[in-house]
């Protein structure tokens, strides 16, 4: 059932807008935490610098924005700088007077509370005085904070005098398969969230005013850390608010939803202070016990049984993938994991020397077929294929088998031989308090060996992905590419060598 727009709340005004006060992104930030909003306005010194991963996300968002504009034919764009709000409002009004039906970055100010908003697309309903608000997001579905975001935009545009018919979220359709040039009409889909937005308007009236007061405060709001610091995003001010929290704390033990309640009961962030009656269950109980007693936990029997299932030659295998929002290659979908690199350590028998092989696709073309071909050739026909977190590599193999049937038998045969080295750590057959509650290889490796990832130029999968994406898009020089190949090679090689070392460590513990 369609909820009618809340026409009753304001007299749609021709009044002069008040001074711009709070934007929609500040509103969404303030809903998560008023202190974060206050920091944003009053403590610019606390804002962390933009790291390469964040910059890569911004760049991807800009590209999606450009494609979204191509979806609408004949639109005009408000190009005033983001701080020139009143000018942008005037430009929007000028475009409307000139009869434009599609206005990108259309801007309005709420005449009473000073909220201001730039909507990605303001679209005129044909033969009517109504408009649709359309916001573009680089996700594949509508999230709760998107509703808050659009609710604020509606609040502003409605009060500024616009008759709004629908509020639409433009998201990426992950069923789209690229063939040739990107087709914006197929890449995006529109989701109607008007009912949710209309139903939220009383909340927005209240919170827009309250958050306006927060901005006017001279001193920092008194807000405690808790679940809000992660929901819906990890807050950018954690480096400040969390500086007194140990790196491994009670926040790592309990589910985020219960955090505030549990911390009030314990009265401390220190895992040592967790009383017996609040002890968690399962793996977390082992984590807390080992931490409080500063001891390792080892269950030899299941480890022995797991080790006895291994068959030589041993193949230690790890993949790196690309996951672009806008597919780069024909036959791929938005956010599809595209493998471009693998590292393979091979040990023929317990006394044989370790051999290393690798594949990196060093051309700006689809890496998948060459990847599958070399992989099948190098992995042989027998012996255990050891990976860390089997779901990832096995899913890639299944996808490759589907897209390149000529290698399907070989790829699926590899899956039949996969053994997951994550299992002994995830099931806590072995645990060191140095793991800090994590079974990730990034934590397990330094907990049991002298190896670590910290000093590497590429130290995690996201950095590998971002580096390769820059290459694939043609955004780095040949010299930078050479450095990238070296860094990628070292990183992925450590992933498989880490498994060799961890397997040896498991043998020694039994
Ligand atoms: S870290 Fe937590 S308490 Fe601090 S500003 Fe962010 S959400 Fe608020």
């Amino acid at each position: 059932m369609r909820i009618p727009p809340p026409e009753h709340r304001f007299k749609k005004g021709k009044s002069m807008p008040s001074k711009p006060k709070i934007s929609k992104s500040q509103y969404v930030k303030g809903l998560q935490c008023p202190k974060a909003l206050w920091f944003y306005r009053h403590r610019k010194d606390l804002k962390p610098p933009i790291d390469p991963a964040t910059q890569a996300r911004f760049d991807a968002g800009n590209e999606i924005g450009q494609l979204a504009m191509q979806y609408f034919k004949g639109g005009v764009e408000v190009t005033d700088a983001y701080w020139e709000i009143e000018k942008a409002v005037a430009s929007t009004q000028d475009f409307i007077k000139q009869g434009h039906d599609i206005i990108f970055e259309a801007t309005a100010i709420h005449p009473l509370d000073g909220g201001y908003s730039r909507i990605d697309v303001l679209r005129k309903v044909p033969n009517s005085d109504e408009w649709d608000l359309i916001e573009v997001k680089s996700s594949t579905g509508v999230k709760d904070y998107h509703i808050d975001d659009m609710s604020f935009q509606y609040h502003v545009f409605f009060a500024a005098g616009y008759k709004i018919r629908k509020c639409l979220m433009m998201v990426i359709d992950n069923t789209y398969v690229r063939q040739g040039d990107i087709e914006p009409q197929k890449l995006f889909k529109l989701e109607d969230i008007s009912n949710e937005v209309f139903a939220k308007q009383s909340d927005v009236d209240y919170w827009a005013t309250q958050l306006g007061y927060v901005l006017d405060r001279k001193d920092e709001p008194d807000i405690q850390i808790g679940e809000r610091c992660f929901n819906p995003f990890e807050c950018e001010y954690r480096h400040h608010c969390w500086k007194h929290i140990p790196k491994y704390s009670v926040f790592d033990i309990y589910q985020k939803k219960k955090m505030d309640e549990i911390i009030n009961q314990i009265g401390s962030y220190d895992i040592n202070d967790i009383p017996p009656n609040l002890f968690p269950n399962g793996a977390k109980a082992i984590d807390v016990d080992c931490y409080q007693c500063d001891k390792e936990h080892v269950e030899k029997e299941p480890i022995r049984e797991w080790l006895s299932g291994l068959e030589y030659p041993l193949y230690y295998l790890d993949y790196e993938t690309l996951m672009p929002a806008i597919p780069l290659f024909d036959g791929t979908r938005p956010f599809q994991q595209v493998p471009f690199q693998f590292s393979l350590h091979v040990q023929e028998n317990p006394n044989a020397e370790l051999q290393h092989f690798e594949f990196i696709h060093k051309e700006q073309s689809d890496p998948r077929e060459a990847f599958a071909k070399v992989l099948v050739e190098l992995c042989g026909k027998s012996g255990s294929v050891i990976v860390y977190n089997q779901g990832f590599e096995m899913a890639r193999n299944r996808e490759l088998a589907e897209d390149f049937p000529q290698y399907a038998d070989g790829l699926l045969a590899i899956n039949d031989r996969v053994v997951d080295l994550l299992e002994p750590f995830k099931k806590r057959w072995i645990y060191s308090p140095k793991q800090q509650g994590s079974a990730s290889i990034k934590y397990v490796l330094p907990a049991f060996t002298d190896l670590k990832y910290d000093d590497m130029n590429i130290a995690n999968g996201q950095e590998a992905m971002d580096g390769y994406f820059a290459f694939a898009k043609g955004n780095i020089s040949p010299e930078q590419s050479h450095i990238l190949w070296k860094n990628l090679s070292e990183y992925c090689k450590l992933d498989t060598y880490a498994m060799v070392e961890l397997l040896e460590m498991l043998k020694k513990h039994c």
Side-chain angles (χ1 to χ4, degrees), residues 360-378:
I360 306 178
H361 189 70
K362 297 181 182 175
E363 290 166 28
Q364 284 168 322
S365 59
D366 188 346
R368 294 174 301 156
E369 184 170 1
F371 180 104
K373 180 174 184 289
V374 180
L375 180 74
V376 168
E377 281 166 9
L378 289 176

Side-chain angles (χ1 to χ4, degrees), residues 471-486:
F471 162 75
K473 293 284 286 179
N475 292 340
I476 61 174
S477 67
E479 294 74 30
Q480 288 170 315
S481 303
H482 285 301
I483 297 168
L484 177 66
W485 307 141
K486 180 173 166 291

Side-chain angles (χ1 to χ4, degrees), residues 294-400:
D294 192 23
K295 65 174 187 187
E296 282 186 3
H297 169 89
V298 182
E299 294 173 39
K300 293 187 178 182
E301 204 42 53
I303 297 175
R304 275 196 204 117
E305 202 174 310
W306 185 88
L307 287 169
S308 71
L310 297 178
E311 285 175 21
Y312 281 87
L314 299 182
Y315 294 82
Y316 300 85
L317 182 62
D318 184 76
Y319 298 170
E320 300 305 326
T321 60
L322 196 61
M323 205 175 64
I326 302 163
L328 288 178
F329 312 113
D330 283 356
T332 61
R333 296 182 312 280
F335 296 106
Q336 179 173 334
Q337 301 259 14
V338 176
F340 62 84
Q341 176 184 13
F342 68 78
S343 171
L344 180 70
H345 274 95
V346 182
Q347 195 173 28
E348 290 291 335
N349 61 62
N351 302 315
E353 221 171 89
L354 202 59
Q355 295 173 275
H356 181 249
F357 305 92
E358 70 174 0
F359 170 86
I360 306 178
H361 189 70
K362 297 181 182 175
E363 290 166 28
Q364 284 168 322
S365 59
D366 188 346
R368 294 174 301 156
E369 184 170 1
F371 180 104
K373 180 174 184 289
V374 180
L375 180 74
V376 168
E377 281 166 9
L378 289 176
C379 278
K381 301 249 180 280
S382 64
S384 298
V385 177
I386 301 170
V387 299
Y388 206 91
N389 193 10
Q390 65 182 21
F392 184 73
E393 272 77 12
M394 290 177 77
R396 302 297 78 78
N397 287 352
R398 282 194 297 274
E399 290 158 4
L400 288 171

Side-chain angles (χ1 to χ4, degrees), residues 144-155:
D144 286 350
Y145 67 85
H146 294 160
I147 309 278
D148 289 325
D149 176 318
M150 181 63 96
S151 297
F152 183 80
Q153 312 233 45
Y154 178 87
H155 164 85

